[in-house]
Amino acid sequence: MRQERFVERHQAEWRDFELWLEKRSVSARDARRHRREWTGIADDELPARHRRLCQQLALARRRGYSAVVTDRLQQLMQRGHSVLYQTKPVHWRRAVEFLLAGFPRLVRAEARCMLAAALLFVVPLVTIFVAIQIKPDLAAGLFDAQSLANFEQMYDPAGKGDLGRTNEDDLQMFAHYIGNNVGIGFQTFASGLLAGLGTVFVLIFNGIMIGGVAGHLQAVGHGDPFWRFVAGHSAPELTAIVISGGAGLRLGLSLIAPGQRRRIDSLIHGGRRGAKICIGVFAMLVFAAFVEAFWSSISSIPAPIKYAVGAVLWLLVFAWLLRGGRNAIHRDDEDAA
Amino acid sequence: MLDTYRHVVTPEGVALHLRAAGPLPRALAYVLDLVARIAIYLALYQLLTALFGGAGYAILMLVTFVLSWFYMVLFEVLMQGRTPGKWALGLRVVAADGAPVGWMASFTRNLLRVVDALPVGYAVGLVTSLIDPWGRRLGDMVAGTLVVHAARQQTLYEAQVAPALAPTIVLLQHEQAAVVAFAERAPRLTAARQAELAELVEPLTLSRGQAAVVRLYGIANWLLGRR
C-alpha cells in the first residue's frame, strides 16, 4: 500500500490515540474527574489500540515508509508504552501490610545472612566490652582522650540529670538521630555491593565502637546512666543495623556467588530484596529515633521501668520478626521466594 | 562502549529506541542537582532559623536528611524520570524495558550511589558506565534502570505536493525511501542546494537544475501514492 493511502486510512486512529495520551494519561485524578465528558477512546480500549499502533508501526517500517510516518508512529508508540507499562502506584494499605508481614518474611528468608551479620556485629561488641572490663586501659587505645572525656561527661551519674545529652532539645536530637542512623543503615546495605566487604567492615567497626563506649563507661562506673539511656531504643536500633548488614551481605553474595542465575540477574534479585529490606530498616530506625529522643532521654524515670520497657521492646521486635506474616494468605507471595 | 543507541523490543514486538546517556551529561546533571539542593538548603536555613529558632535547626536537619537520600527518588518517580538537573540536560531515567521508573527501582539506584561514589568523585560509577554497553553505573545495573536522552520532539515536514510522475526506471526499496526523504527535507534547503542534490540522480530525472527538483518531487509524490 502506498504511504499516502496508509496514512489516510489510519490517520483518525492515530489522532484519537494522541488525544488520549495528551488528555488522559497525564494525571489520574484529572482523568477520573472528566471521565463523563470524555468522548474519545475508552480507557479500557487503550491496550488494544496500542497493539494496533505497534502493528502499524511494524508495517510502516517493513514497507519502508518515510520518516514522517515511522517517526510519528514511533513517538506515539513510546508514549503509549510508558503509560501502559508503568509500575503500580503504592497504596498505603500495601505499605502497612509490607511493614507488618512482608518485611519480617523477607528477613526470615535471608536468615543465614542475618545470622552472619549478627555475629559480625555482636562478637566484636561483646569481646571489646569484656576486654575493657578486664583491662580498662584498652579504651585509651580505641578512643583519644578528648572523646573519652566527652563520653564520661555525657553519662556522668553526678551530672545535671540529662541522660546522654547536652542541652539541645529533643526535637533536634530526633532529627540528628534519624539523619545519622538511617545514613549508617543505608550505607551498611549499599557497601555490601563491594563483594560484601564494605558491610563486614561497617558491622565490625560499629560493633567495636559501641562495645568500646559501653565497656569504658561500665568500667569507669558510669554504667547506670548509660544503660538507662540505651535500654529503650537498643532493640529497634541494633536489630535494624544487623538487618541492613544482612541485606548487604546478601547483595555481596549475589555478586560473588550468583548460583544458577546470570551474575547481573542475581544482582538485580539481591538488590531488589535488599532495597525492600532497607525500607523496613528505615521504618525501624525512625521508630528508634523517636524512642531515643523522646523516651530514652527522660532521666526522671527510675531504672526498673526503663529496663522493663527496653525488654518489652526487645520482645516485640523479635516477635514481629519471627512471627510477622506467617499466615497462609501470603505464603505464595514473591517475597518469600 | 561505542554504540550508545539501544533497541529494546517491547511485548508487542516493536523496538523502542533508547539513546543511553554517557557519563558527562550525567555528571553535569548531578552537579546541577547538587547546586539546586544547596540552594534549597540555604533558602530554608534563612527561613527556618528566622521563624522558629532552635526548632528550625531540627527541621533543617530533617530536610537535609530528606534532600540527601530522597531528593532524587522523589523527582525521578513523580516527574517522569527527571530531576531538575536531568531535565536541564534532557535526560530521563527509565526502567531497562523503557517503562517509567518505579519507586523501588529509583530508591535502589539512588541507595547504591554510596558505592558508585567510591573511592572519590564517582570513580566506580564512571568506570562501570564506560564498560557497560548501556552506560549504566552499578546502581543502575542492580535497580534495572538506565539513563537515556529524552526523545526530542523534532518537527517533520510532509513532502511537497507536486503533480505525480511515474519514474521511468524501477526503483529499489531504499532508493524509493531516499527520493521520499528528499521530497520531505528539500523544501528547507536553498534552491541551489536542492538542484545540486536532484542532479545527483540524473538518470532518474533526465533533466538538470530546477526542472530536476520538480521532477523528483513528482516522482516522490507518485511513490507516496498521490494520484
Side-chain angles (χ1 to χ4, degrees), chain A residues 42-111:
Chain A
D43 294 356
D44 55 0
E45 221 182 295
L46 194 82
R49 288 300 193 101
H50 179 71
R51 282 196 293 275
R52 259 183 84 79
L53 187 88
C54 289
Q55 193 215 358
Q56 284 156 5
L57 170 64
L59 263 180
R61 284 208 182 287
R62 181 81 193 79
R63 293 174 180 165
Y65 289 159
S66 73
V68 174
V69 177
T70 50
D71 282 10
R72 177 167 176 212
L73 288 179
Q74 181 77 33
Q75 268 173 21
L76 278 180
M77 188 275 281
Q78 310 220 140
R79 285 169 67 188
H81 184 82
S82 61
V83 173
L84 282 177
Y85 291 91
Q86 41 191 321
T87 45
K88 272 182 277 178
V90 184
H91 199 275
W92 64 268
R93 232 189 79 196
R94 276 191 48 213
V96 171
E97 222 175 78
F98 170 74
L99 278 187
L100 289 181
F103 175 68
R105 214 164 38 238
L106 263 178
V107 171
R108 283 198 305 272
E110 305 296 352

Side-chain angles (χ1 to χ4, degrees), chain B residues 29 33 79 81-92:
Chain B
D33 279 325
M79 304 296 292
R82 295 188 174 103
T83 61
K86 292 194 181 72
W87 175 80
L89 278 133
L91 303 179
R92 273 184 66 178

Side-chain angles (χ1 to χ4, degrees), chain A residues 210-232:
Chain A
I210 295 173
V213 174
H216 176 71
L217 290 172
Q218 179 73 28
V220 296
H222 292 188
D224 171 58
F226 175 75
W227 293 116
R228 273 197 294 152
F229 178 68
V230 296

Side-chain angles (χ1 to χ4, degrees), chain A residues 2-4 50 54 61 63 66 68 74-75 77-78 81-82 85 87 172 175 186 189-190 194 268 271 275, chain B residues 11-12 14-17 58 61 69 97 99-100 102 108 115 118 141-142 153 157 173 180 184 223-224 226-227:
Chain A
R2 300 289 179 193
Q3 178 173 325
E4 202 78 345
H50 179 71
C54 289
R61 284 208 182 287
R63 293 174 180 165
S66 73
V68 174
Q74 181 77 33
Q75 268 173 21
M77 188 275 281
Q78 310 220 140
H81 184 82
S82 61
Y85 291 91
T87 45
Q172 205 165 328
F186 284 0
F189 163 68
L194 302 169
I268 290 172
Chain B
E12 288 84 12
V14 283
L16 290 168
H17 298 192
M61 269 194 262
W69 289 102
D97 60 357
T108 313
V115 184
L118 288 176
M141 293 185 197
V142 174
Q153 200 82 28
Y157 294 88
Q173 183 102 53
V180 172
E184 281 168 1
L223 289 172
L224 284 170
R226 290 174 178 155
R227 268 163 255 205

Side-chain angles (χ1 to χ4, degrees), chain A residues 8-25:
Chain A
E8 220 169 80
R9 181 179 285 186
H10 302 299
Q11 187 77 281
E13 255 177 77
W14 302 339
R15 288 240 174 78
D16 288 350
F17 194 78
E18 197 159 32
L19 204 66
W20 191 95
L21 285 174
E22 259 159 39
K23 299 279 179 212
R24 301 199 49 90
S25 71

Side-chain angles (χ1 to χ4, degrees), chain B residues 5 40 44 108 223:
Chain B
Y5 200 83
I40 294 174
L44 283 174
T108 313
L223 289 172

